Structures are given as structure tokens and as C-alpha cells.
Amino acid sequence: MGHEGVGFKSGSTRSGLPTTRSRVPRGRQIQKTFNNVKITVLCGFVTLLVLRGTIGVGNLTGSTLESEDQRVVEDIDRILREIRTDSEPEPQDPLSSLYFVNSTAHNWTYAEAVEAVNYSLGPKISDWDQQRQVWLSQNPNFPNQLLGKHRILLVTGSPPNPCDNAIGDHYLLKSTKNKIDYCRLHGIEIVYNMAHLDKELAGYWAKLPLIRKLMLSHPEIEWIWWMDSDAFFTDMAFELPLEKYKNHNLIIHGYPDLLFEQHSWIALNTGSFLFRNCQWSLDLLDAWAPMGPKGIVRELAGKILTANLKGRPAFEADDQSALIYLLTSQQDKWMSKVYVENSYYLHGFWAGLVDKYEEMIEQNHPGLGDERWPFVTHFVGCKPCGSYGDYPVERCLNSMERAFNFGDNQVLRLYGFAHKGLVSPKIKRVQDQTSDPLQVKEKLDMAARITM
Amino acid sequence: MLERCIGERRLRQIQRGVQNMKLTFLCLLLTLLVLRGTIGAGKYGTPQQDFIELRQRFISHPHRALAEQNQPEPKPKKSDKDDEPPLRSLNDPYSLGPKISDWDSQRADWIHRHPERPNFLTKTKPRVLLVTGSSPKPCENPVGDHYLLKSIKNKIDYCRVHNIEIFYNMALLDAEMAGFWAKLPLIRALLLAHPEVEFLWWMDSDAMFTDMAFELPWERYAPYNLVMHGWDEMVYKDKNWIGLNTGSFLLRNCQWSLDLLDAWAPMGPKGPVRTEAGKILTKTLKDRPVFEADDQSAMVYLLVTQKEKWANKVYLESAYYLHGYWGILVDRYEEMIENYHPGLGDHRWPLVTHFVGCKPCGKFGDYPVERCLKQMDRAFNFGDNQILQMYGFTHKSLASRRVRRVRNETSNPLEVKDELGLLHPDFKAVQHHAS
């Protein structure tokens, strides 16, 4: 032990030689260590390279999930951009070049523009009522009434491309489900349109060629009910009082005083209205369409409408203002067959309704359709699909969720469930399951009070 | 002491030798790694495979190649934690609801009392309710909701032409049966609430109708209560987990179906029940990967193990695509348009194109996102063309959203019939009797 101790103490090189060697080994030591370090670093570097090449690990600490996430998100963004920009150049309005380029030349008036464009929804039909009667008598398997009720076709739609705002598509989906539910409960068929049938009548005017097309293709349908994609059914028990409309062909929500006395541009609402399938309706569509064609016609028409309708801002002609202008300027021709309905909310402006839902649940019951339990809550101006609405986005989305759940509660009730709250997507059971479910069903009244 | 035994030079030699050995060994290891990475060492695997395996082990990610997960698992958030049900233990049996044993007579009574809602629309055509759905929360993937919207429009179109009602579900009726199992409590609730419905047709949200003219052969199914797409040999002989598909199937509203749902449900409850059941399924069924129990595998297992009880009322349909796996169909659409016509429903013109594995609502599917979305667009347009032709239009191409006119407007619209006869088809005709 003593020897070893001496041996150990005598030098780090274990050679046992005395201090004469310590200076040289010191230098060599440093060199050796330096070499070792070099080799280690080199080897480490090579290992990293190899691993990176084989496994593809940019950062060995396992954040690859995030990078994969990132990659997927980038992929989706790129695909979204491709999908959104998938568009051909817009068709040129044949007269627009004249309008803009040559200002010293002839200034088009609205009447001249209409005549020059010469737009028509289709070949003139004058005997549609007879054609339809003949067809119905020849096709008893496609009657215009089912179980004593006239057949209704609900028409709605949205553009074929994804919304600029992703949440917009989610609310289109919910709105569609909401319409499917109401229509299933009331035996109404649905057409969801995503096609631009007429490039000239694009935008809000697109409903005109669509309505005409559906009327002419489906003679078995008595009423065509247009409904905007941002309108929700909030009274699932309310049935349209069709007997009231025996002698009318256009049912539209509005206020007669605003219409006839004030000529207000919001006197009527074309977000939810009914057209009877008859000659009169075809004639009205033909009289309504001329302000619609994109470009110079629509712009000049817009100026006329702003000049004649109270409160209308300056922008191109829209279908609602055009209809109001038409009905007020040709009152004698059309108004006898138009029913301006305001005894229930065939269209209900959302801002005044959505905050009162809890109060309604407390005090009223479904089936009323009016301010106590609105039939339709219409999110005018929210535009969840586009980038800019007229109201704060959060308020709009929150309110749409509430309206959807308010209506959905009335459907879920049939199965014994309800939403946990008007903003919650979660549901809770409100009626226990039983081994005699049909007894419960017999007693279930859609129009009865809802206890949450 | 070592020096004393061997001598210093020797020692130094040995040390050097050892260092050389270390270096050699290190270099050899490195060479092997590189070779493995580049050439791939067969059954010893490559680093890429290692990595994937590691990832899979640490993140459970069921790799369902030919099956589908229709609803994303609800992620536990702080607010959800309180109302998450406690995980069911293996000894606690699950029940869909109180046992009903006389459903057939209850239902017959009700139908008798309500002649205005008959369960058969004509002598042969039953009243059918198509059931589908999606999560009430916005999709993680920003375009997911857009494709759900297109998918529901597609279903609305088919069902309008064929006089079928639709129920779009957005509610999770039973938190224990979340995910692909959510359809079971929903189906049971709908059967019991709608005695007038004769057949309930479940369809996944990622399945689209591509043959608008094909009417299901209802008379063929008169003796059966459950119709699924699949093959008898693959289910009963091979016990293959994809021998049938539960993404699109018909279930008759009767006592037998309630009993089937009760027998099908036990493998579903989230937690240890589902995990353990998954192991049994992987062991018993052919080619099934390791993951928790899913409704499709459980159905195969049920039919295989209780064949005598159920098989005589189950029809595995393979004559047409009640479910059509998209991978083998979508590239052939142009060929189909060239050579065939709608109304066939089979490989020549599939009734349903089902985008199994695409998961457009979530972030990760089993296939590249681009291929899935582009093909879903094509399938949608392929079906939509058959609807648009009723009104005289068609898409400019299968990839284009734009439409063009193919039939001019006329002043005698009722004399013109659409090519496929879908405006007023026989299968939509109302039974002509005093209403």
C-alpha cells in the first residue's frame, strides 16, 4: 500500500518516472486532450448529420409534432388559397367600356341602358296557369296538395366557394341543419342552391332566376319559399297560416305604413318570402328583374332607388329596394295580390330578439311565431361568411349560436334532451328514458311550454 | 500494480491497443448506422421506422387504413372535466336504456292509430329516415365545415329526389359513447321516437351520393332487418375487420334491432372497457391493427361469435356500392361518364363514394390533405351534375365550381323532360289513393 501510494503520487503518467517527464507530458497532454476534443466534436457532428439525414430530426427534442402540425396548416392554407382563387375572369358588361372610357360621349340613362342590355329571365310565358293545370290533371301521382296542405318548396343557398371566414361555413352548416329540422317537422322540401345560374344576375339577385327555374320545373309545388342562409327558424311549432293567403300570390314581411307612406327602403324584407307558383308570379319576376343585370344597369338603377326610397344609402341596386320601388310605383297593378305580413315574424330582425330568449322561455311557449316567440330570427348585416359585416363579429356569432340552440332545444325535446345553456353545444337529459316511449310521444305537444 | 506485472511499455501498448479498439468500434457503429439509414436493414428496420414506432407508442394514433372515425374525440378541457363521466369499470355493464321487449306491438298499435303517417309510402317503398351528423363545434381544419356543408347539400338533393327524410345530428347524447360509437344511442333514440319510420339509414358525414338515379331495391330487403355493404366470406370465414362497413347501413325499426343495439353496445363505453375490448377484437379479427374498440370491428365480432342468433336477418350487400371506398373510384369518374350512365349504383356508377380516412374536419387524416379535398370536390360535382341536369345546367368540369347551360329555356317547360327523369321519378310518386 505504501508502495502504491508512492507509485500513485509520483506522476499522472503511471510510467513511474520522476518529474523530468512532467513538462513534456504536460504539453503533450494538452495536445492530446485537444486532439481528443477535436475528434469528439467531429464525431458528434458527423453523428448529428447522419441522424438528421436518416430520421429527419431537425431538432432532437421532439418538437416534430408541432412542425408536422405547422406543415399541415401551411398545406391547408395553400390549398385554401388555390380553392379561393379558382375563378375565371368576370364576364364584361358590353356597355361598361362606353360608360367609363368615353365620358364626353353619350351619358347613358337607366332606360337606355336597360334597352341596350335587353335582359330577360327567359322566353315569355303567358299561359302558365293553364299549362300547370293540364300537367297536374295528367299527373295525379304528383298532386299539389299533401294531406290537405299545399306543397311548399323552401329554397336557400350559399356561394360554392369556402367562406373568407372559416366560422362562416360552420354557421351555414348549422343554419342548414336548422332548416332541415323545421322542414322535416312540417313536410316541406328543401332545395339548397350553390350554383350561379345566371352570371348577369349574381349576388342577391341570384334568387330571381333560381325561383323562376324551380317554379317552371316543379308544377306540383304550390308555394316557393325563399329564405336567406343567415335566417334561422326559432319557432319549430309554428305553422304558416296558408288559408289566410288564399287570394294572394306574394307573402312578404313588412310594414304598410313604411311602404306606402314613407317609401322606406326597409319597408319589406326579401330575406324570407313566399311566391305562389302561377302566372302572376312569373310576371312579377319579369317586372322585378330589369334592375338586376350587373354593371351599368345595376349602378344606374341604384341611383334611382337611392333617390326615391327613404333612408337608402348610395350603392348599386339590390333586389329588396327594387321590389319596394316596383310595388310602390305600380301599386294598382300588383298590390292586390301582395300580402304584407307582420302579425308574425316571417322575418325577424335579430338585434331586437336575441337577448330576450330566456325571458321568452320563462313566459311563453312555441307556436306563437310573433314577438313572444319569433318564427324566424334573421341575422341581417352579420355576414359571417364574408370578411366585413355591419356589426361586431363576436356579437353576431354569439347571437347566432343562441338562436340556433333556442330552435334546437325545441327539436331535442322530442328525444328528451335540451342544451345546457343557450350558448352551450353540450346537452343534458330533460326526460328520463322509459320502456313505454310511445305513451310519452302521444302526450308530447310541440307547442307546449318548455321547462329548461 | 499492473505496471509491475506487465511492464510499462507493454502497458502503454495495451492502452494504445484499447484506444484503437475503441476507435475502430466507434467507426464500425457509425458505418452500420449510416448503412441502415441509407440501404435499410430489412427486419431490423430503419431509423425512420423506429421514429414512427416511437411516435406511435407515445401518441396513440389509431391507423385505420380502411375504416373510419366520424366524430373527433372530445378533448378534455378545464370546463369539461367536471361533467366528464367517471370511466366505467369492467364489471359495470353498460345499457343504452331501459329494456323494451314488446316494441313490435307498441309500434303496430301506434301506426294503427296514426294512418296519416304510414310506415310504407307505397306497397313496396318504406318510409326511410337518413341519419347523419357532425360535431357541434367548428372544425379544427378551416375548410372542414365547408366540406360538411357540401356533403349535407349532396344528401339533401338525393333525399329530395327519393322522398327520404333527413335527421342531421349535432348532439352527443351519451358522453360515454363518444367517437364512432355515438351513433348507437342516437339510432336507438330515433327508432323509439319515430315509430312511423320503417328503415333508419345511417350515413357518415364523409360519404357522398354519386348516383342520384339509383333507388334502393327495397323488395330485396323485405326478409332482413340489417343491410350493410360487405361480403359474407370476408366476415364469416375470414373474420376480416373490414369485411363489412358501418359507414352506410340500413336498420329496420323493430324489436330485433333494439336487441341488436343492446348486444352491440357493450364494447363501446370509453375507458378500460373500450381498450380491453379493442385487444379482444385485434386478437380475433384478421388484419386489425391495435387500437381501442370501434363499432365496425365490434359488429364483425358480434356476427361471427353469435352467428346463429343474428346472421339470418343480416344482409351483406355487395351488388352495388351502398358504401364505396373512394380510393378505387374517384379517378375513374371521367371513364364512367364516357361509358355508363346513372342508375346502376355499382362499380360502373357508384351509389355512394365514401371518403374513409380523409377526416376533412380534423387536422390529420390517413391520406394527404390535398388529394382528399380535391377528390371530394370531384365526387361532389359528379353527383351535383345529375341534379343540375334537371334544371338544364352542368359543371364546367369535375374540378370546377362554375356551371354552364346545357338546355335552353323554353316557353313550354313542361314538355321538356330531363334526361335522367329525376324531376318526377316513379320512386317519388305519391301513392294514388284518397288522402
Side-chain angles (χ1 to χ4, degrees):
Chain A
M1 269 161 286
H3 287 288
E4 278 171 343
V6 168
F8 264 93
K9 267 198 214 135
S10 66
S12 51
T13 58
R14 288 206 229 146
S15 59
L17 292 178
T19 47
T20 48
R21 273 201 161 226
S22 59
R23 215 176 299 142
V24 179
R26 179 63 60 83
R28 267 187 72 199
Q29 245 174 68
I30 294 172
Q31 225 181 357
K32 245 193 220 168
T33 335
F34 192 55
N35 275 341
N36 279 343
V37 170
K38 260 201 293 188
I39 291 176
T40 317
V41 168
L42 213 73
C43 286
F45 186 59
V46 172
T47 317
L48 266 172
L49 267 178
V50 168
L51 280 175
R52 199 159 175 278
T54 51
I55 301 180
V57 179
N59 182 348
L60 281 174
T61 59
S63 66
T64 41
L65 273 179
E66 284 161 28
S67 66
E68 168 131 7
D69 227 345
Q70 186 63 25
R71 204 154 23 97
V72 173
V73 169
E74 279 165 12
D75 258 344
I76 292 169
D77 279 339
R78 179 179 55 81
I79 293 164
L80 256 180
R81 263 173 303 170
E82 272 177 33
I83 292 174
R84 287 202 186 114
T85 57
D86 164 350
S87 54
E88 294 163 16
E90 295 293 346
Q92 284 293 346
D93 172 9
L95 299 169
S96 62
S97 50
L98 286 165
Y99 185 70
F100 291 112
V101 170
N102 219 340
S103 57
T104 57
H106 180 76
N107 263 329
W108 291 88
T109 65
Y110 169 69
E112 287 166 341
V114 166
E115 206 185 301
V117 166
N118 200 18
Y119 176 79
S120 156
L121 279 170
K124 179 89 186 135
I125 300 177
S126 321
D127 59 344
W128 178 236
D129 290 333
Q130 291 92 301
Q131 283 192 38
R132 203 176 154 236
Q133 276 312 316
V134 168
W135 190 93
L136 284 172
S137 60
Q138 288 173 349
N139 291 276
N141 289 336
F142 288 91
N144 69 334
Q145 286 192 67
L146 283 176
L147 293 175
K149 217 181 83 157
H150 274 144
R151 282 167 86 153
I152 305 176
L153 178 67
L154 186 109
V155 185
T156 186
S158 59
N161 44 288
C163 288
D164 287 336
N165 191 349
I167 197 76
D169 277 312
H170 182 69
Y171 282 98
L172 282 173
L173 183 68
K174 285 189 139 144
S175 164
T176 308
K177 167 186 158 63
N178 172 275
K179 293 179 173 83
I180 290 175
D181 285 331
Y182 180 85
C183 292
R184 183 183 62 250
L185 290 166
H186 295 265
I188 296 173
E189 290 180 50
I190 303 178
V191 165
Y192 194 100
N193 181 53
M194 275 182 166
H196 289 130
L197 298 187
D198 189 332
K199 285 193 276 276
E200 285 199 73
L201 287 198
Y204 7 68
W205 288 93
K207 59 180 77 116
L208 268 72
L210 178 63
I211 291 173
R212 184 179 200 268
K213 189 50 143 168
L214 290 170
M215 275 204 270
L216 297 180
S217 309
H218 293 286
E220 73 278 13
I221 294 293
E222 184 68 20
W223 292 99
I224 300 254
W225 183 353
W226 167 266
M227 199 156 156
D228 277 355
S229 59
D230 56 0
F232 285 77
F233 283 106
T234 35
D235 190 339
M236 292 293 177
F238 186 81
E239 182 83 26
L240 285 176
L242 291 177
E243 337 71 49
K244 247 167 90 173
Y245 311 133
K246 262 200 322 268
N247 299 316
H248 298 88
N249 296 333
L250 169 60
I251 321 303
I252 186 164
H253 185 273
Y255 301 98
D257 52 339
L258 280 181
L259 181 62
F260 299 116
E261 285 157 41
Q262 297 189 40
H263 297 294
S264 163
W265 81 296
I266 48 168
L268 302 175
N269 189 284
T270 52
S272 172
F273 62 88
L274 288 109
F275 251 112
R276 190 188 291 274
N277 191 352
C278 60
Q279 182 62 48
W280 183 96
S281 300
L282 292 180
D283 295 337
L284 181 68
L285 285 170
D286 283 336
W288 190 3
M291 287 193 165
K294 252 187 348 184
I296 182 176
V297 173
R298 212 185 275 190
E299 281 185 47
L300 291 173
K303 298 204 170 103
I304 297 177
L305 294 173
T306 306
N308 285 291
L309 298 180
K310 179 168 177 235
R312 187 182 194 272
F315 68 110
E316 55 176 21
D318 64 299
D319 61 310
Q320 180 172 300
S321 311
L323 183 66
I324 293 172
Y325 181 71
L326 176 64
L327 294 181
T328 49
S329 54
Q330 297 181 26
Q331 245 182 58
D332 304 323
K333 185 167 180 194
W334 303 107
M335 283 314 294
S336 60
K337 292 291 187 180
V338 177
Y339 196 108
V340 179
E341 176 67 84
N342 52 23
S343 65
Y344 62 90
Y345 280 128
L346 179 59
H347 139 86
F349 178 57
W350 67 283
L353 298 170
V354 290
D355 297 314
K356 304 203 183 113
Y357 287 146
E358 281 85 0
E359 192 189 304
M360 294 172 190
I361 293 170
E362 188 88 9
Q363 299 169 2
N364 300 315
H365 58 86
L368 304 167
D370 51 25
E371 71 282 349
R372 296 169 295 170
W373 200 283
F375 182 36
V376 170
T377 303
H378 185 189
F379 288 86
V380 181
C382 270
K383 299 187 196 130
C385 192
S387 313
Y388 304 103
D390 306 331
Y391 302 93
V393 173
E394 269 314 307
R395 170 137 171 83
C396 271
L397 297 183
N398 191 283
S399 306
M400 288 174 94
E401 187 68 27
R402 281 165 55 81
F404 172 78
N405 289 338
F406 183 74
D408 198 32
N409 272 342
Q410 300 166 50
V411 177
L412 287 174
R413 196 173 166 226
L414 298 171
Y415 310 104
F417 288 89
H419 283 265
K420 285 189 171 173
L422 284 187
V423 222
S424 171
K426 291 165 156 271
I427 58 171
K428 57 172 192 230
R429 194 173 268 291
V430 293
Q431 178 132 60
D432 287 328
Q433 294 194 73
T434 148
S435 54
D436 196 359
L438 293 178
Q439 222 189 44
V440 175
K441 185 179 166 82
E442 290 279 25
K443 296 207 194 96
L444 190 73
D445 177 9
M446 277 297 283
R449 282 278 309 267
I450 290 184
T451 42
M452 290 265 285
Chain B
M1 194 177 92
L2 223 51
E3 307 157 16
R4 286 293 167 104
C5 297
I6 305 171
E8 13 170 307
R9 185 171 287 162
R10 238 344 181 24
L11 191 63
R12 226 184 306 157
Q13 263 180 353
I14 292 173
Q15 277 170 24
R16 219 174 279 160
V18 169
Q19 273 182 338
N20 279 341
M21 288 279 294
K22 271 199 276 186
L23 250 141
T24 319
F25 184 62
L26 220 77
C27 286
L28 207 67
L29 194 68
L30 220 68
T31 318
L32 270 172
L33 262 178
V34 171
L35 279 175
R36 192 162 170 270
T38 50
I39 300 177
K43 67 169 176 152
Y44 295 107
T46 62
Q48 186 87 37
Q49 288 176 15
D50 277 347
F51 187 66
I52 292 173
E53 234 168 84
L54 269 169
R55 186 158 75 98
Q56 274 187 344
R57 189 161 305 158
F58 288 121
I59 307 114
S60 59
H61 206 58
H63 208 77
R64 296 179 71 167
L66 285 173
E68 199 264 341
Q69 181 176 6
N70 36 330
Q71 269 189 31
E73 291 275 347
K75 292 194 182 68
K77 287 189 279 246
K78 284 196 190 74
S79 56
D80 288 358
K81 285 247 165 76
D82 344 299
D83 30 48
E84 276 284 317
L87 295 178
R88 186 173 289 270
S89 80
L90 293 168
N91 310 318
D92 188 11
Y94 172 81
S95 159
L96 281 168
K99 178 91 184 134
I100 300 179
S101 321
D102 61 341
W103 179 237
D104 288 333
S105 62
Q106 280 192 42
R107 192 175 164 242
D109 274 341
W110 193 93
I111 292 172
H112 184 74
R113 284 197 304 274
H114 294 265
E116 76 281 2
R117 296 278 288 165
N119 58 328
F120 273 85
L121 303 176
T122 69
K123 242 191 243 109
T124 47
K125 190 178 160 91
R127 185 187 297 275
V128 181
L129 178 69
L130 186 112
V131 184
T132 185
S134 59
S135 167
K137 307 204 179 105
C139 286
E140 274 181 41
N141 181 344
V143 273
D145 280 306
H146 179 70
Y147 285 92
L148 285 173
L149 182 68
K150 283 176 104 157
S151 174
I152 188 58
K153 169 194 154 60
N154 169 277
K155 294 180 174 84
I156 289 174
D157 286 330
Y158 180 88
C159 292
R160 182 180 66 253
V161 171
H162 291 265
N163 214 351
I164 292 174
E165 292 179 37
I166 301 178
F167 187 91
Y168 194 94
N169 183 54
M170 274 183 164
L172 181 60
L173 267 54
D174 189 339
E176 276 198 87
M177 301 285 268
F180 10 70
W181 290 92
K183 58 175 80 106
L184 266 72
L186 173 67
I187 291 174
R188 186 178 198 268
L190 289 170
L191 290 176
L192 298 181
H194 293 285
E196 74 277 12
V197 167
E198 181 66 21
F199 266 112
L200 192 147
W201 184 350
W202 168 267
M203 201 157 153
D204 281 353
S205 60
D206 56 359
M208 294 218 208
F209 282 106
T210 34
D211 190 341
M212 295 295 178
F214 185 82
E215 170 80 355
L216 262 60
W218 299 110
E219 306 89 346
R220 193 187 302 176
Y221 305 139
Y224 302 99
N225 295 335
L226 172 59
V227 181
M228 292 178 286
H229 184 270
W231 301 267
D232 284 322
E233 328 80 58
M234 274 185 83
V235 170
Y236 299 114
K237 220 163 52 102
D238 295 344
K239 302 191 181 134
N240 196 319
W241 77 299
I242 49 166
L244 49 80
N245 188 284
T246 52
S248 171
F249 63 88
L250 299 162
L251 188 66
R252 193 185 292 276
N253 193 350
C254 58
Q255 182 63 48
W256 183 96
S257 300
L258 294 180
D259 296 339
L260 180 80
L261 288 170
D262 283 336
W264 192 4
M267 288 191 167
K270 250 182 359 176
V273 175
R274 208 185 277 190
T275 328
E276 286 309 306
K279 296 188 184 145
I280 300 173
L281 293 172
T282 305
K283 215 167 48 150
T284 324
L285 303 178
K286 180 171 179 237
D287 290 347
R288 188 184 191 268
V290 178
F291 66 108
E292 55 179 20
D294 65 300
D295 60 312
Q296 183 171 298
S297 311
M299 173 58 80
V300 178
Y301 182 80
L302 184 65
L303 292 183
V304 158
T305 52
Q306 299 183 29
K307 185 171 177 185
E308 336 66 48
K309 187 163 184 204
W310 307 106
N312 66 328
K313 289 291 188 182
V314 176
Y315 190 91
L316 292 179
E317 176 69 86
S318 52
Y320 63 90
Y321 280 128
L322 179 59
H323 138 86
Y325 171 58
W326 68 285
I328 56 172
L329 297 170
V330 290
D331 297 309
R332 292 180 34 229
Y333 286 145
E334 279 83 4
E335 184 195 308
M336 293 173 191
I337 294 172
E338 180 91 28
N339 301 317
Y340 303 114
H341 56 85
L344 302 169
D346 52 23
H347 63 281
R348 296 169 295 172
W349 202 285
L351 171 66
V352 171
T353 302
H354 186 187
F355 287 87
V356 176
C358 271
K359 302 181 197 142
C361 196
K363 276 219 170 97
F364 298 103
D366 303 333
Y367 301 96
V369 173
E370 191 154 5
R371 176 150 165 84
C372 274
L373 297 185
K374 293 225 158 109
Q375 296 307 326
M376 287 175 92
D377 276 329
R378 278 165 53 82
F380 173 82
N381 289 342
F382 184 75
D384 199 33
N385 276 344
Q386 299 163 51
I387 297 295
L388 289 172
Q389 65 84 35
M390 290 197 271
Y391 307 112
F393 289 85
T394 192
H395 282 266
K396 287 192 167 172
S397 79
L398 284 187
S400 170
R401 285 194 289 270
R402 292 169 171 252
V403 301
R404 64 182 167 87
R405 191 181 275 287
V406 291
R407 205 168 60 231
N408 284 329
E409 297 286 329
T410 147
S411 53
N412 283 312
L414 296 175
E415 280 167 24
V416 176
K417 287 218 183 334
D418 69 298
E419 233 180 78
L420 300 176
L422 294 180
L423 278 174
H424 304 101
D426 285 332
F427 40 74
K428 199 180 176 188
V430 165
Q431 183 147 39
H432 187 51
H433 63 357
S435 53

